[in-house]
Amino acid sequence: MGAPGEEISKKDLHAVTQRFKYFNQQRLLHVQSLLQPRQQDFLKLLPLLFHQNHPLLPGFVSLESPAGIPDYTPGKQTLDVAKQFSKGFVYKRKALRQYPIHALFLMGSVGSMAFSKESDIDIWLCHASGLAADELAELQQKAREVEKWAAALKIEAHFFLVDAEQFVRGENTPISQESSGETQHYLLLEEFYRTSIYVAGRTPVWWLVPPEQEADYAQYVQHLLENRFVAESEVLDFGNLNNMPTAEFVSATLWHIYKSLTSPHKSLLKLLLMESYASEFPRPHWLCQALKQAVYRGDFSVESLDPYLLMYSKVDAYLRQAGSKRRLDLIRECFYMKIMAGSGPILDTRLRQLRESFLHQVAEQWHWPEALLENLASQRYWDIKRANSEHGVIRDQLQQCLRMIIKFTGLPIDQAQRENRDLGLIGRKLRAGLDQRPGKIEILTTRGAVHTTPDLLIAKEITAEHAAPIWRLYSDRSVAQQGSAEGAIKQADSLLEILCWAVLNGLYKKSLNLQVSALSLKLAGNDIYQLLNELHGFFQSRLPGGDSGLSAYAAPNRLLASLLLVNLGESLAIDANGQQLVMSERSDPLSYGESRQCFVQSIEKLSVSSWGEVTLQRYAGLDGLFNCLLDVVHNGGTQFGSDALRVLCYTPVRGRSIVLRIESLFNNLRKCFVAAGIGAQRYLIPAETGYCLFQFNNGRLGYFGLDNHTQLLQELAKPQPQFSAVLFDDYVLEQTYIPLLYRYNLADTVQLFYHATSKHVAVYILDEKGSLFVRQHHNANPEHILAHYSVFLGTLLAQAQLPEGLAIRFYEIQRNSAGVVSCQTVQVKLGASAFDLRVRIVSEDSGAVAVYANERRFLIDGPDSYKAVRSDILGYRNSHDDYPFHITEIDAPCRVLGAEHSAELQTVHFLNYKQKMEDKLNI
């Protein structure tokens, strides 16, 4: 056929159309030959269902549903099938002004040698552009009803409604499991031209554009239509493959890398096809163009133009030219597995022989090594060792393809991923699946190809001089006795890593005989099997599905669940003699007995993330436990519930108490710091012979140690930048009233608690920011003490030395006959004498101090100066009794009180300075 300006023959155009229709008819016959008789009825009846609406035919929605396919007349076979549903069915040809259904095509692997009656069928239902929304909805509903009928015939059919005009503009691209949607418009079009099977309706105008005119596709099509060589109502224009954007090519390659993580042998062929196209960019030699050239030459062989064979042929030639023998072996294996997938005993002999014959022809044409087909046939049922080794090859291939596509872009990959959402999500998936780092447990891409798993597994610890111990996994006793690396299925740094790897990659089964040969660990047989069951249950319930899509990668990677293994295979030092178990009334596993021993010696944290990563991290000792729980809090966020952390400990006798203690500690951390959000709250727990305080620092939760009881009280007494509630663990200050008092603690309130005995009055003050002040008043009257503090605190408020609006409350600490302690609110009554004597301290930045007893001023210039003040104050007492003096007012700069700025002052600053000066007065 000629180019525009040259002679174009309608006869030639008709001949080309007939060639393509014949070729498609042969493909359709091949598909039908693989189906059962009832399934064949589906393909025979398919176009009639969308040509006419009949209440008794499958898929009927209403008589008004869009129907009518141009140039379609059902044949006798189709009418016979229709009469099975309606005996009186008679086809009446109707001339329609407009045909809302433009064409029907089968699409994808359906036209290939890999298709079987178990394969799914994608169907493009091409419709007119002018359909209203309600008409499209009816058409979509009808397609769903036909899918249901297909499912009843055990055919998995998927309809895609396609508007050719929208498709050319890149809108509403049909999205299937084989594409990443709109990012693969051109590649989807190439696949359509290469794999589609014409069923009925208009024909693609692409058929009529000669191979040599592809570069001028739009001009050629316009010439055909304008000069009426072909009517617009006879053809569909889906567009051409010229000027494919680089971004789409990059996206498609990343998508196939992504798919290769779960179905490597299925996707690697397409992935290497992308690589071969990349070597030809910007003018790749598309496979659909090779198919078109063959049809134009008169080659109608369904086998020689098989879509998968076209792919293989191009990739084989590319790899031979590149000299990549290892990759060529891999792609031959992928092609073999794709064609023979499912060709087990369940397939009929005819289909298996057909495929084997096809592969022999391919092997002969492409000069495969003589024994290769036989070897591939014998190795089709893999064991785990083969899958592990094959995974390494595939991983290297995927990483090589990733490096190729990054180089191809000519841009930093992070920039490309920022500009395209799909690229960013796929990039995250690749990092999660391919990155290898210490502590990350590898999930094999080939684990699904393992057909038989061993009944016996032996985990053996191997030691060597001047080297850390390693663990190896074997499935054969004699090989395990030798302990060689070559015979091992897997090698790892720890027993737990070996077991996790085995469970993750499908080696777990209830009947498994697992044996552990350990030199440094002590584990009972029952504990090993219980651990294995726990690991299996943990991964089953917590690990995201392997092919769960990309939505999880739209959010940052976060912790989903963790399993803590405490003291795995270790004995406690306290029980090391193995004869007598040491018990104590102080039962806290973090601070046990008189020696305050910690029972947590090691923790192995097994974690699953939202991106499907499985990691293992080891921690040691009490600090290790705290750091482990902080890591969980930081990485889990608010969505990490208490049920997402599971703790296991097989330590004899003490294991249960250790588990409960760690769970309680974690739940308190969540309650105090996750549920409450970022704030100034504090949490105190015992830590061996000392204590540990958790609090936020610059928005991040952390902790620090306090060596003893004194340091703990000093920490509680410190001024705070804002109100800071304190949660006390059960074993902290449990012999004092302080934990109880903090349960009453309120912001913007100064709370005084007192407990009176015959010898003293104990005063505990929690100020407006949660700082603690404690003082013992010996030989004191409770009413006198309360009145004094009421005057002092009231004066601070009256003189605006504390923030406006602070409340002051008083409580008596009471203990009933049963020993239960409570705090009861009391009202302070001030007699007239409470204001008879005002003792005011006036201090300056220079250090000068003056004491005012009412209006009389005493300058303090040395220790003896206080004696004059004492004598003067005693003169105000009728009895001249020598009981302690109390300061009622303080007038001092903030620095003297211990603060840099006046805004930092809080009640505890004044109380501390008051006590300091009163101690000097009462000497």
PDB file of all heavy atoms in Angstrom, residues 883-907:
ATOM      1  N   TYR A 883       9.996  27.692 120.151  1.00  0.00           N
ATOM      2  CA  TYR A 883       9.661  26.779 119.057  1.00  0.00           C
ATOM      3  C   TYR A 883      10.066  27.440 117.743  1.00  0.00           C
ATOM      4  O   TYR A 883      10.337  28.632 117.687  1.00  0.00           O
ATOM      5  CB  TYR A 883       8.181  26.390 119.074  1.00  0.00           C
ATOM      6  CG  TYR A 883       7.213  27.543 119.113  1.00  0.00           C
ATOM      7  CD1 TYR A 883       6.862  28.227 117.946  1.00  0.00           C
ATOM      8  CD2 TYR A 883       6.631  27.935 120.325  1.00  0.00           C
ATOM      9  CE1 TYR A 883       5.970  29.279 117.988  1.00  0.00           C
ATOM     10  CE2 TYR A 883       5.733  28.999 120.371  1.00  0.00           C
ATOM     11  CZ  TYR A 883       5.405  29.661 119.198  1.00  0.00           C
ATOM     12  OH  TYR A 883       4.522  30.706 119.229  1.00  0.00           O
ATOM     13  N   PRO A 884      10.156  26.667 116.633  1.00  0.00           N
ATOM     14  CA  PRO A 884      10.738  27.174 115.393  1.00  0.00           C
ATOM     15  C   PRO A 884      10.037  28.423 114.861  1.00  0.00           C
ATOM     16  O   PRO A 884       8.831  28.624 115.053  1.00  0.00           O
ATOM     17  CB  PRO A 884      10.550  26.001 114.416  1.00  0.00           C
ATOM     18  CG  PRO A 884      10.478  24.800 115.284  1.00  0.00           C
ATOM     19  CD  PRO A 884       9.777  25.246 116.532  1.00  0.00           C
ATOM     20  N   PHE A 885      10.866  29.246 114.217  1.00  0.00           N
ATOM     21  CA  PHE A 885      10.348  30.460 113.587  1.00  0.00           C
ATOM     22  C   PHE A 885       9.896  30.146 112.153  1.00  0.00           C
ATOM     23  O   PHE A 885      10.446  29.276 111.495  1.00  0.00           O
ATOM     24  CB  PHE A 885      11.449  31.535 113.527  1.00  0.00           C
ATOM     25  CG  PHE A 885      11.959  31.911 114.893  1.00  0.00           C
ATOM     26  CD1 PHE A 885      13.198  31.475 115.320  1.00  0.00           C
ATOM     27  CD2 PHE A 885      11.198  32.707 115.725  1.00  0.00           C
ATOM     28  CE1 PHE A 885      13.672  31.821 116.561  1.00  0.00           C
ATOM     29  CE2 PHE A 885      11.682  33.055 116.980  1.00  0.00           C
ATOM     30  CZ  PHE A 885      12.921  32.610 117.404  1.00  0.00           C
ATOM     31  N   HIS A 886       8.931  30.908 111.671  1.00  0.00           N
ATOM     32  CA  HIS A 886       8.441  30.725 110.301  1.00  0.00           C
ATOM     33  C   HIS A 886       8.413  32.051 109.582  1.00  0.00           C
ATOM     34  O   HIS A 886       7.952  33.058 110.133  1.00  0.00           O
ATOM     35  CB  HIS A 886       7.037  30.111 110.294  1.00  0.00           C
ATOM     36  CG  HIS A 886       6.983  28.745 110.920  1.00  0.00           C
ATOM     37  ND1 HIS A 886       7.592  27.654 110.347  1.00  0.00           N
ATOM     38  CD2 HIS A 886       6.418  28.310 112.078  1.00  0.00           C
ATOM     39  CE1 HIS A 886       7.391  26.589 111.104  1.00  0.00           C
ATOM     40  NE2 HIS A 886       6.676  26.968 112.185  1.00  0.00           N
ATOM     41  N   ILE A 887       8.915  32.040 108.364  1.00  0.00           N
ATOM     42  CA  ILE A 887       8.931  33.255 107.555  1.00  0.00           C
ATOM     43  C   ILE A 887       7.574  33.378 106.849  1.00  0.00           C
ATOM     44  O   ILE A 887       7.046  32.399 106.311  1.00  0.00           O
ATOM     45  CB  ILE A 887      10.069  33.172 106.514  1.00  0.00           C
ATOM     46  CG1 ILE A 887      11.425  33.178 107.236  1.00  0.00           C
ATOM     47  CG2 ILE A 887       9.985  34.308 105.502  1.00  0.00           C
ATOM     48  CD1 ILE A 887      12.593  32.852 106.349  1.00  0.00           C
ATOM     49  N   THR A 888       7.041  34.570 106.857  1.00  0.00           N
ATOM     50  CA  THR A 888       5.722  34.783 106.241  1.00  0.00           C
ATOM     51  C   THR A 888       5.808  35.451 104.877  1.00  0.00           C
ATOM     52  O   THR A 888       4.889  35.349 104.083  1.00  0.00           O
ATOM     53  CB  THR A 888       4.840  35.649 107.160  1.00  0.00           C
ATOM     54  OG1 THR A 888       5.535  36.870 107.444  1.00  0.00           O
ATOM     55  CG2 THR A 888       4.544  34.918 108.463  1.00  0.00           C
ATOM     56  N   GLU A 889       6.914  36.187 104.595  1.00  0.00           N
ATOM     57  CA  GLU A 889       7.033  36.871 103.311  1.00  0.00           C
ATOM     58  C   GLU A 889       8.466  36.770 102.801  1.00  0.00           C
ATOM     59  O   GLU A 889       9.409  36.752 103.601  1.00  0.00           O
ATOM     60  CB  GLU A 889       6.657  38.352 103.431  1.00  0.00           C
ATOM     61  CG  GLU A 889       5.227  38.618 103.824  1.00  0.00           C
ATOM     62  CD  GLU A 889       4.971  40.108 103.969  1.00  0.00           C
ATOM     63  OE1 GLU A 889       5.476  40.871 103.107  1.00  0.00           O
ATOM     64  OE2 GLU A 889       4.278  40.502 104.922  1.00  0.00           O
ATOM     65  N   ILE A 890       8.598  36.733 101.484  1.00  0.00           N
ATOM     66  CA  ILE A 890       9.924  36.732 100.848  1.00  0.00           C
ATOM     67  C   ILE A 890       9.921  37.759  99.736  1.00  0.00           C
ATOM     68  O   ILE A 890       9.021  37.784  98.887  1.00  0.00           O
ATOM     69  CB  ILE A 890      10.271  35.338 100.276  1.00  0.00           C
ATOM     70  CG1 ILE A 890      10.447  34.320 101.415  1.00  0.00           C
ATOM     71  CG2 ILE A 890      11.531  35.395  99.407  1.00  0.00           C
ATOM     72  CD1 ILE A 890      10.673  32.900 100.927  1.00  0.00           C
ATOM     73  N   ASP A 891      10.928  38.590  99.744  1.00  0.00           N
ATOM     74  CA  ASP A 891      11.101  39.588  98.685  1.00  0.00           C
ATOM     75  C   ASP A 891      12.538  39.454  98.196  1.00  0.00           C
ATOM     76  O   ASP A 891      13.463  40.002  98.806  1.00  0.00           O
ATOM     77  CB  ASP A 891      10.820  40.993  99.221  1.00  0.00           C
ATOM     78  CG  ASP A 891      10.945  42.049  98.125  1.00  0.00           C
ATOM     79  OD1 ASP A 891      11.183  41.664  96.967  1.00  0.00           O
ATOM     80  OD2 ASP A 891      10.819  43.246  98.453  1.00  0.00           O
ATOM     81  N   ALA A 892      12.736  38.688  97.133  1.00  0.00           N
ATOM     82  CA  ALA A 892      14.094  38.387  96.669  1.00  0.00           C
ATOM     83  C   ALA A 892      14.112  38.312  95.147  1.00  0.00           C
ATOM     84  O   ALA A 892      13.118  37.940  94.518  1.00  0.00           O
ATOM     85  CB  ALA A 892      14.585  37.067  97.264  1.00  0.00           C
ATOM     86  N   PRO A 893      15.251  38.662  94.520  1.00  0.00           N
ATOM     87  CA  PRO A 893      15.388  38.546  93.061  1.00  0.00           C
ATOM     88  C   PRO A 893      15.278  37.077  92.639  1.00  0.00           C
ATOM     89  O   PRO A 893      15.609  36.166  93.412  1.00  0.00           O
ATOM     90  CB  PRO A 893      16.780  39.107  92.777  1.00  0.00           C
ATOM     91  CG  PRO A 893      17.131  39.888  93.992  1.00  0.00           C
ATOM     92  CD  PRO A 893      16.457  39.235  95.142  1.00  0.00           C
ATOM     93  N   CYS A 894      14.847  36.852  91.384  1.00  0.00           N
ATOM     94  CA  CYS A 894      14.626  35.478  90.918  1.00  0.00           C
ATOM     95  C   CYS A 894      15.902  34.657  90.946  1.00  0.00           C
ATOM     96  O   CYS A 894      15.881  33.451  91.232  1.00  0.00           O
ATOM     97  CB  CYS A 894      14.000  35.485  89.516  1.00  0.00           C
ATOM     98  SG  CYS A 894      14.937  36.376  88.262  1.00  0.00           S
ATOM     99  N   ARG A 895      17.065  35.291  90.693  1.00  0.00           N
ATOM    100  CA  ARG A 895      18.310  34.521  90.689  1.00  0.00           C
ATOM    101  C   ARG A 895      18.659  34.011  92.072  1.00  0.00           C
ATOM    102  O   ARG A 895      19.213  32.920  92.229  1.00  0.00           O
ATOM    103  CB  ARG A 895      19.441  35.368  90.121  1.00  0.00           C
ATOM    104  CG  ARG A 895      19.295  35.626  88.621  1.00  0.00           C
ATOM    105  CD  ARG A 895      20.513  36.300  88.037  1.00  0.00           C
ATOM    106  NE  ARG A 895      20.344  36.510  86.589  1.00  0.00           N
ATOM    107  CZ  ARG A 895      21.242  37.078  85.825  1.00  0.00           C
ATOM    108  NH1 ARG A 895      22.397  37.508  86.350  1.00  0.00           N
ATOM    109  NH2 ARG A 895      21.020  37.230  84.532  1.00  0.00           N
ATOM    110  N   VAL A 896      18.357  34.809  93.076  1.00  0.00           N
ATOM    111  CA  VAL A 896      18.597  34.374  94.458  1.00  0.00           C
ATOM    112  C   VAL A 896      17.708  33.176  94.780  1.00  0.00           C
ATOM    113  O   VAL A 896      18.091  32.260  95.506  1.00  0.00           O
ATOM    114  CB  VAL A 896      18.340  35.539  95.436  1.00  0.00           C
ATOM    115  CG1 VAL A 896      18.376  35.042  96.881  1.00  0.00           C
ATOM    116  CG2 VAL A 896      19.385  36.636  95.229  1.00  0.00           C
ATOM    117  N   LEU A 897      16.510  33.168  94.203  1.00  0.00           N
ATOM    118  CA  LEU A 897      15.569  32.069  94.441  1.00  0.00           C
ATOM    119  C   LEU A 897      15.875  30.828  93.597  1.00  0.00           C
ATOM    120  O   LEU A 897      15.283  29.769  93.808  1.00  0.00           O
ATOM    121  CB  LEU A 897      14.142  32.547  94.142  1.00  0.00           C
ATOM    122  CG  LEU A 897      13.613  33.654  95.058  1.00  0.00           C
ATOM    123  CD1 LEU A 897      12.274  34.148  94.558  1.00  0.00           C
ATOM    124  CD2 LEU A 897      13.497  33.159  96.494  1.00  0.00           C
ATOM    125  N   GLY A 898      16.789  30.992  92.622  1.00  0.00           N
ATOM    126  CA  GLY A 898      17.189  29.829  91.825  1.00  0.00           C
ATOM    127  C   GLY A 898      16.623  29.802  90.429  1.00  0.00           C
ATOM    128  O   GLY A 898      16.616  28.744  89.782  1.00  0.00           O
ATOM    129  N   ALA A 899      16.127  30.935  89.900  1.00  0.00           N
ATOM    130  CA  ALA A 899      15.577  30.999  88.545  1.00  0.00           C
ATOM    131  C   ALA A 899      16.269  32.099  87.763  1.00  0.00           C
ATOM    132  O   ALA A 899      16.716  33.090  88.332  1.00  0.00           O
ATOM    133  CB  ALA A 899      14.069  31.242  88.583  1.00  0.00           C
ATOM    134  N   GLU A 900      16.354  31.906  86.439  1.00  0.00           N
ATOM    135  CA  GLU A 900      16.978  32.911  85.588  1.00  0.00           C
ATOM    136  C   GLU A 900      16.041  34.082  85.323  1.00  0.00           C
ATOM    137  O   GLU A 900      16.464  35.221  85.228  1.00  0.00           O
ATOM    138  CB  GLU A 900      17.393  32.266  84.255  1.00  0.00           C
ATOM    139  CG  GLU A 900      18.612  31.368  84.354  1.00  0.00           C
ATOM    140  CD  GLU A 900      19.877  32.135  84.697  1.00  0.00           C
ATOM    141  OE1 GLU A 900      20.062  33.251  84.162  1.00  0.00           O
ATOM    142  OE2 GLU A 900      20.659  31.636  85.523  1.00  0.00           O
ATOM    143  N   HIS A 901      14.768  33.817  85.187  1.00  0.00           N
ATOM    144  CA  HIS A 901      13.794  34.853  84.860  1.00  0.00           C
ATOM    145  C   HIS A 901      12.589  34.719  85.770  1.00  0.00           C
ATOM    146  O   HIS A 901      12.256  33.618  86.242  1.00  0.00           O
ATOM    147  CB  HIS A 901      13.350  34.746  83.394  1.00  0.00           C
ATOM    148  CG  HIS A 901      14.493  34.741  82.420  1.00  0.00           C
ATOM    149  ND1 HIS A 901      15.206  35.882  82.115  1.00  0.00           N
ATOM    150  CD2 HIS A 901      15.044  33.731  81.708  1.00  0.00           C
ATOM    151  CE1 HIS A 901      16.150  35.574  81.241  1.00  0.00           C
ATOM    152  NE2 HIS A 901      16.081  34.266  80.980  1.00  0.00           N
ATOM    153  N   SER A 902      11.907  35.815  85.996  1.00  0.00           N
ATOM    154  CA  SER A 902      10.756  35.807  86.894  1.00  0.00           C
ATOM    155  C   SER A 902       9.648  34.884  86.382  1.00  0.00           C
ATOM    156  O   SER A 902       8.892  34.310  87.187  1.00  0.00           O
ATOM    157  CB  SER A 902      10.223  37.237  87.065  1.00  0.00           C
ATOM    158  OG  SER A 902       9.855  37.776  85.808  1.00  0.00           O
ATOM    159  N   ALA A 903       9.554  34.730  85.070  1.00  0.00           N
ATOM    160  CA  ALA A 903       8.511  33.866  84.503  1.00  0.00           C
ATOM    161  C   ALA A 903       8.738  32.396  84.868  1.00  0.00           C
ATOM    162  O   ALA A 903       7.815  31.580  84.788  1.00  0.00           O
ATOM    163  CB  ALA A 903       8.463  34.016  82.982  1.00  0.00           C
ATOM    164  N   GLU A 904       9.970  32.045  85.273  1.00  0.00           N
ATOM    165  CA  GLU A 904      10.275  30.659  85.610  1.00  0.00           C
ATOM    166  C   GLU A 904       9.933  30.340  87.066  1.00  0.00           C
ATOM    167  O   GLU A 904       9.931  29.174  87.462  1.00  0.00           O
ATOM    168  CB  GLU A 904      11.770  30.379  85.388  1.00  0.00           C
ATOM    169  CG  GLU A 904      12.212  30.533  83.943  1.00  0.00           C
ATOM    170  CD  GLU A 904      13.722  30.386  83.789  1.00  0.00           C
ATOM    171  OE1 GLU A 904      14.394  30.133  84.810  1.00  0.00           O
ATOM    172  OE2 GLU A 904      14.227  30.524  82.659  1.00  0.00           O
ATOM    173  N   LEU A 905       9.658  31.369  87.869  1.00  0.00           N
ATOM    174  CA  LEU A 905       9.427  31.141  89.303  1.00  0.00           C
ATOM    175  C   LEU A 905       8.174  30.314  89.543  1.00  0.00           C
ATOM    176  O   LEU A 905       7.148  30.488  88.880  1.00  0.00           O
ATOM    177  CB  LEU A 905       9.302  32.478  90.033  1.00  0.00           C
ATOM    178  CG  LEU A 905      10.606  33.275  90.211  1.00  0.00           C
ATOM    179  CD1 LEU A 905      10.317  34.624  90.827  1.00  0.00           C
ATOM    180  CD2 LEU A 905      11.602  32.494  91.074  1.00  0.00           C
ATOM    181  N   GLN A 906       8.283  29.397  90.475  1.00  0.00           N
ATOM    182  CA  GLN A 906       7.130  28.609  90.916  1.00  0.00           C
ATOM    183  C   GLN A 906       7.220  28.451  92.429  1.00  0.00           C
ATOM    184  O   GLN A 906       8.221  28.812  93.057  1.00  0.00           O
ATOM    185  CB  GLN A 906       7.106  27.249  90.214  1.00  0.00           C
ATOM    186  CG  GLN A 906       8.340  26.388  90.468  1.00  0.00           C
ATOM    187  CD  GLN A 906       8.363  25.126  89.619  1.00  0.00           C
ATOM    188  OE1 GLN A 906       8.795  25.149  88.472  1.00  0.00           O
ATOM    189  NE2 GLN A 906       7.887  24.014  90.179  1.00  0.00           N
ATOM    190  N   THR A 907       6.172  27.917  93.014  1.00  0.00           N
ATOM    191  CA  THR A 907       6.075  27.872  94.477  1.00  0.00           C
ATOM    192  C   THR A 907       7.262  27.179  95.121  1.00  0.00           C
ATOM    193  O   THR A 907       7.752  27.613  96.183  1.00  0.00           O
ATOM    194  CB  THR A 907       4.768  27.167  94.879  1.00  0.00           C
ATOM    195  OG1 THR A 907       3.665  27.877  94.310  1.00  0.00           O
ATOM    196  CG2 THR A 907       4.609  27.125  96.390  1.00  0.00           C
TER     197      THR A 907
END
